[in-house]
Amino acid sequence: MTTRTPISRRERPAKPALSRSAIVNAALRVLERDGAEKLTIRRVAAELDTGPASLYVYVKNVTVLHALLIDGLLADLDLAWDGTEPWRERLHRVIGGYINLLTAHGNLARSAIFVWPDGPHYLSLVDLLLRLLQSTGADEKSAAWGIDLLLQHASVTAAEWAARASGTGQEVDELTATLASADHERHPALAAFNTAAFTQGTPDERNRWALDTLLDGITRATLPVND
């Protein structure tokens, strides 16, 4: 009978040092392999061959992990603008890209409604949006609040599209049936209205209209500098 020769810990390859960057990269691997719904602190820790407690030094919960991860995904987004492309078209393009990026990862899209991405790529996105709105002459508060509103719209839109793509969201036919059930006495305006208008248009058409409506308000608003 042979006995196994014990291996000294000193002979094992050293683990790479933990850092936020290493955690984000490991989370991206878990995301691509297992999907956003399986993305947990425990799974990311296992990917890094360490215990969950080690990660809490850098990431206090899954919400923060999602914030970091969204920033990592933003690395694939085109955030350049040299001023030659019209500002409105450039803004449509970057918000459209942001929506598509989040839609591909449903759970992250839902998280983006409640958290701000954390990292340099998110700052590059905000910087681009700020330059675009400043080019219209928007005042400081309108630009700042407008960026918040635009990203809220993008996150909610992505969460809705992701839910429908996964089969967990409501179908448009359900909304059509609900609107058609309006009572003539209780809901007179709705009962007399062409309720098909509520569901007309493709997702892209409706999103472009929504963005243009927001942009028209943001760039025309004049808010007081002081509260």
Side-chain angles (χ1 to χ4, degrees):
M1 180 176 180
T2 60
T3 58
R4 178 182 295 179
T5 303
I7 300 174
S8 169
R9 287 181 177 271
R10 293 182 180 180
E11 296 177 7
R12 296 177 183 174
K15 296 178 184 178
L18 275 180
S19 64
R20 278 198 166 192
S21 177
I23 292 170
V24 170
N25 290 335
L28 285 169
R29 292 195 296 271
V30 173
L31 179 70
E32 295 301 324
R33 185 181 65 238
D34 303 326
E37 66 281 357
K38 300 291 181 66
L39 184 64
T40 64
I41 296 289
R42 186 173 297 277
R43 281 181 179 263
V44 175
E47 186 74 18
L48 292 166
D49 191 24
T50 189
S54 300
L55 268 62
Y56 288 122
V57 176
Y58 303 90
V59 181
K60 66 180 180 179
N61 53 40
V62 174
T63 300
V64 174
L65 178 61
H66 281 191
L68 292 170
L69 191 51
I70 293 171
D71 182 76
L73 292 173
L74 287 174
D76 294 330
L77 202 60
D78 177 12
L79 298 175
W81 185 53
D82 61 5
T84 56
E85 183 177 8
W87 74 268
R88 188 178 290 257
E89 289 306 312
R90 183 66 186 96
L91 198 145
H92 270 285
R93 192 158 62 84
V94 70
I95 292 295
Y98 184 60
I99 290 173
N100 290 336
L101 182 149
L102 290 179
T103 301
H105 305 287
N107 280 10
L108 291 182
R110 289 188 288 274
S111 292
I113 299 173
F114 309 106
V115 303
W116 291 276
D118 184 0
H121 304 300
Y122 169 68
L123 294 179
S124 294
L125 171 61
V126 173
D127 185 79
L128 170 60
L129 294 175
L130 182 58
R131 287 189 290 125
L132 290 168
L133 292 180
Q134 285 178 330
S135 74
T136 72
D139 63 74
E140 182 179 274
K141 190 174 288 187
S142 295
W145 290 6
I147 289 171
D148 188 44
L149 189 59
L150 289 168
L151 293 179
Q152 284 182 30
H153 163 74
S155 299
V156 171
T157 300
E160 179 185 0
W161 289 5
R164 288 186 182 176
S166 67
T168 60
Q170 286 186 299
E171 297 297 328
V172 174
D173 290 346
E174 297 176 41
L175 174 60
T176 301
T178 298
L179 294 171
S181 68
D183 183 81
H184 284 267
E185 294 185 1
R186 187 172 180 177
H187 319 109
L190 188 57
F193 190 73
N194 173 26
T195 54
F198 283 98
T199 56
Q200 287 174 346
T202 66
D204 286 338
E205 289 172 338
R206 293 173 70 95
N207 183 55
R208 186 170 187 88
W209 176 87
L211 276 179
D212 278 333
T213 300
L214 290 175
L215 292 174
D216 287 345
I218 292 167
T219 55
R220 291 174 186 171
T222 302
L223 297 171
V225 175
N226 299 316
D227 293 329

PDB file of all heavy atoms in Angstrom, residues 132-147:
ATOM      1  N   LEU A 132     -22.762  66.116 -24.678  1.00  0.00           N
ATOM      2  CA  LEU A 132     -23.827  66.211 -25.672  1.00  0.00           C
ATOM      3  C   LEU A 132     -24.877  67.224 -25.259  1.00  0.00           C
ATOM      4  O   LEU A 132     -25.307  68.065 -26.076  1.00  0.00           O
ATOM      5  CB  LEU A 132     -24.471  64.839 -25.878  1.00  0.00           C
ATOM      6  CG  LEU A 132     -23.604  63.802 -26.599  1.00  0.00           C
ATOM      7  CD1 LEU A 132     -24.207  62.408 -26.480  1.00  0.00           C
ATOM      8  CD2 LEU A 132     -23.439  64.173 -28.065  1.00  0.00           C
ATOM      9  N   LEU A 133     -25.300  67.193 -24.005  1.00  0.00           N
ATOM     10  CA  LEU A 133     -26.325  68.130 -23.552  1.00  0.00           C
ATOM     11  C   LEU A 133     -25.768  69.547 -23.443  1.00  0.00           C
ATOM     12  O   LEU A 133     -26.469  70.525 -23.744  1.00  0.00           O
ATOM     13  CB  LEU A 133     -26.902  67.668 -22.211  1.00  0.00           C
ATOM     14  CG  LEU A 133     -27.726  66.381 -22.270  1.00  0.00           C
ATOM     15  CD1 LEU A 133     -28.246  66.015 -20.882  1.00  0.00           C
ATOM     16  CD2 LEU A 133     -28.901  66.515 -23.243  1.00  0.00           C
ATOM     17  N   GLN A 134     -24.514  69.682 -23.018  1.00  0.00           N
ATOM     18  CA  GLN A 134     -23.905  71.015 -22.946  1.00  0.00           C
ATOM     19  C   GLN A 134     -23.795  71.656 -24.328  1.00  0.00           C
ATOM     20  O   GLN A 134     -23.874  72.881 -24.455  1.00  0.00           O
ATOM     21  CB  GLN A 134     -22.526  70.935 -22.297  1.00  0.00           C
ATOM     22  CG  GLN A 134     -22.558  70.728 -20.795  1.00  0.00           C
ATOM     23  CD  GLN A 134     -21.175  70.614 -20.197  1.00  0.00           C
ATOM     24  OE1 GLN A 134     -20.237  70.143 -20.840  1.00  0.00           O
ATOM     25  NE2 GLN A 134     -21.025  71.053 -18.953  1.00  0.00           N
ATOM     26  N   SER A 135     -23.655  70.826 -25.359  1.00  0.00           N
ATOM     27  CA  SER A 135     -23.540  71.370 -26.721  1.00  0.00           C
ATOM     28  C   SER A 135     -24.834  72.023 -27.179  1.00  0.00           C
ATOM     29  O   SER A 135     -24.835  72.799 -28.128  1.00  0.00           O
ATOM     30  CB  SER A 135     -23.134  70.260 -27.703  1.00  0.00           C
ATOM     31  OG  SER A 135     -24.221  69.382 -27.962  1.00  0.00           O
ATOM     32  N   THR A 136     -25.948  71.719 -26.501  1.00  0.00           N
ATOM     33  CA  THR A 136     -27.244  72.318 -26.846  1.00  0.00           C
ATOM     34  C   THR A 136     -27.485  73.614 -26.093  1.00  0.00           C
ATOM     35  O   THR A 136     -28.474  74.298 -26.350  1.00  0.00           O
ATOM     36  CB  THR A 136     -28.395  71.350 -26.521  1.00  0.00           C
ATOM     37  OG1 THR A 136     -28.566  71.271 -25.081  1.00  0.00           O
ATOM     38  CG2 THR A 136     -28.131  69.969 -27.072  1.00  0.00           C
ATOM     39  N   GLY A 137     -26.603  73.925 -25.145  1.00  0.00           N
ATOM     40  CA  GLY A 137     -26.793  75.109 -24.325  1.00  0.00           C
ATOM     41  C   GLY A 137     -27.612  74.850 -23.076  1.00  0.00           C
ATOM     42  O   GLY A 137     -28.015  75.797 -22.389  1.00  0.00           O
ATOM     43  N   ALA A 138     -27.872  73.569 -22.765  1.00  0.00           N
ATOM     44  CA  ALA A 138     -28.639  73.238 -21.566  1.00  0.00           C
ATOM     45  C   ALA A 138     -27.915  73.756 -20.328  1.00  0.00           C
ATOM     46  O   ALA A 138     -26.697  73.675 -20.235  1.00  0.00           O
ATOM     47  CB  ALA A 138     -28.827  71.720 -21.462  1.00  0.00           C
ATOM     48  N   ASP A 139     -28.677  74.312 -19.380  1.00  0.00           N
ATOM     49  CA  ASP A 139     -28.052  74.827 -18.169  1.00  0.00           C
ATOM     50  C   ASP A 139     -27.587  73.667 -17.287  1.00  0.00           C
ATOM     51  O   ASP A 139     -27.907  72.505 -17.530  1.00  0.00           O
ATOM     52  CB  ASP A 139     -29.015  75.741 -17.399  1.00  0.00           C
ATOM     53  CG  ASP A 139     -30.247  75.008 -16.914  1.00  0.00           C
ATOM     54  OD1 ASP A 139     -30.133  74.230 -15.943  1.00  0.00           O
ATOM     55  OD2 ASP A 139     -31.324  75.198 -17.506  1.00  0.00           O
ATOM     56  N   GLU A 140     -26.839  74.010 -16.247  1.00  0.00           N
ATOM     57  CA  GLU A 140     -26.169  73.005 -15.412  1.00  0.00           C
ATOM     58  C   GLU A 140     -27.151  72.017 -14.795  1.00  0.00           C
ATOM     59  O   GLU A 140     -26.963  70.796 -14.855  1.00  0.00           O
ATOM     60  CB  GLU A 140     -25.388  73.727 -14.309  1.00  0.00           C
ATOM     61  CG  GLU A 140     -24.608  72.820 -13.400  1.00  0.00           C
ATOM     62  CD  GLU A 140     -23.853  73.608 -12.344  1.00  0.00           C
ATOM     63  OE1 GLU A 140     -22.724  74.047 -12.630  1.00  0.00           O
ATOM     64  OE2 GLU A 140     -24.411  73.788 -11.239  1.00  0.00           O
ATOM     65  N   LYS A 141     -28.220  72.528 -14.184  1.00  0.00           N
ATOM     66  CA  LYS A 141     -29.155  71.643 -13.497  1.00  0.00           C
ATOM     67  C   LYS A 141     -29.949  70.803 -14.495  1.00  0.00           C
ATOM     68  O   LYS A 141     -30.194  69.613 -14.259  1.00  0.00           O
ATOM     69  CB  LYS A 141     -30.099  72.449 -12.600  1.00  0.00           C
ATOM     70  CG  LYS A 141     -30.939  71.588 -11.680  1.00  0.00           C
ATOM     71  CD  LYS A 141     -31.749  72.417 -10.701  1.00  0.00           C
ATOM     72  CE  LYS A 141     -30.882  73.041  -9.638  1.00  0.00           C
ATOM     73  NZ  LYS A 141     -31.698  73.717  -8.579  1.00  0.00           N
ATOM     74  N   SER A 142     -30.343  71.387 -15.604  1.00  0.00           N
ATOM     75  CA  SER A 142     -31.076  70.620 -16.620  1.00  0.00           C
ATOM     76  C   SER A 142     -30.218  69.485 -17.164  1.00  0.00           C
ATOM     77  O   SER A 142     -30.709  68.375 -17.393  1.00  0.00           O
ATOM     78  CB  SER A 142     -31.519  71.533 -17.761  1.00  0.00           C
ATOM     79  OG  SER A 142     -32.455  72.487 -17.325  1.00  0.00           O
ATOM     80  N   ALA A 143     -28.932  69.743 -17.382  1.00  0.00           N
ATOM     81  CA  ALA A 143     -28.032  68.705 -17.886  1.00  0.00           C
ATOM     82  C   ALA A 143     -27.881  67.578 -16.867  1.00  0.00           C
ATOM     83  O   ALA A 143     -27.965  66.395 -17.207  1.00  0.00           O
ATOM     84  CB  ALA A 143     -26.674  69.306 -18.225  1.00  0.00           C
ATOM     85  N   ALA A 144     -27.671  67.940 -15.599  1.00  0.00           N
ATOM     86  CA  ALA A 144     -27.470  66.930 -14.556  1.00  0.00           C
ATOM     87  C   ALA A 144     -28.724  66.100 -14.332  1.00  0.00           C
ATOM     88  O   ALA A 144     -28.670  64.864 -14.314  1.00  0.00           O
ATOM     89  CB  ALA A 144     -27.040  67.608 -13.255  1.00  0.00           C
ATOM     90  N   TRP A 145     -29.844  66.762 -14.163  1.00  0.00           N
ATOM     91  CA  TRP A 145     -31.095  66.036 -13.937  1.00  0.00           C
ATOM     92  C   TRP A 145     -31.510  65.287 -15.204  1.00  0.00           C
ATOM     93  O   TRP A 145     -32.106  64.211 -15.139  1.00  0.00           O
ATOM     94  CB  TRP A 145     -32.199  67.001 -13.520  1.00  0.00           C
ATOM     95  CG  TRP A 145     -31.998  67.576 -12.144  1.00  0.00           C
ATOM     96  CD1 TRP A 145     -30.904  67.412 -11.324  1.00  0.00           C
ATOM     97  CD2 TRP A 145     -32.899  68.433 -11.439  1.00  0.00           C
ATOM     98  NE1 TRP A 145     -31.073  68.104 -10.159  1.00  0.00           N
ATOM     99  CE2 TRP A 145     -32.285  68.744 -10.185  1.00  0.00           C
ATOM    100  CE3 TRP A 145     -34.144  68.970 -11.719  1.00  0.00           C
ATOM    101  CZ2 TRP A 145     -32.905  69.565  -9.239  1.00  0.00           C
ATOM    102  CZ3 TRP A 145     -34.766  69.789 -10.781  1.00  0.00           C
ATOM    103  CH2 TRP A 145     -34.153  70.076  -9.555  1.00  0.00           C
ATOM    104  N   GLY A 146     -31.194  65.875 -16.356  1.00  0.00           N
ATOM    105  CA  GLY A 146     -31.536  65.214 -17.618  1.00  0.00           C
ATOM    106  C   GLY A 146     -30.797  63.903 -17.796  1.00  0.00           C
ATOM    107  O   GLY A 146     -31.372  62.910 -18.266  1.00  0.00           O
ATOM    108  N   ILE A 147     -29.518  63.867 -17.433  1.00  0.00           N
ATOM    109  CA  ILE A 147     -28.746  62.630 -17.532  1.00  0.00           C
ATOM    110  C   ILE A 147     -29.349  61.558 -16.641  1.00  0.00           C
ATOM    111  O   ILE A 147     -29.494  60.395 -17.028  1.00  0.00           O
ATOM    112  CB  ILE A 147     -27.275  62.891 -17.166  1.00  0.00           C
ATOM    113  CG1 ILE A 147     -26.613  63.721 -18.276  1.00  0.00           C
ATOM    114  CG2 ILE A 147     -26.508  61.580 -16.963  1.00  0.00           C
ATOM    115  CD1 ILE A 147     -25.231  64.222 -17.912  1.00  0.00           C
TER     116      ILE A 147
END
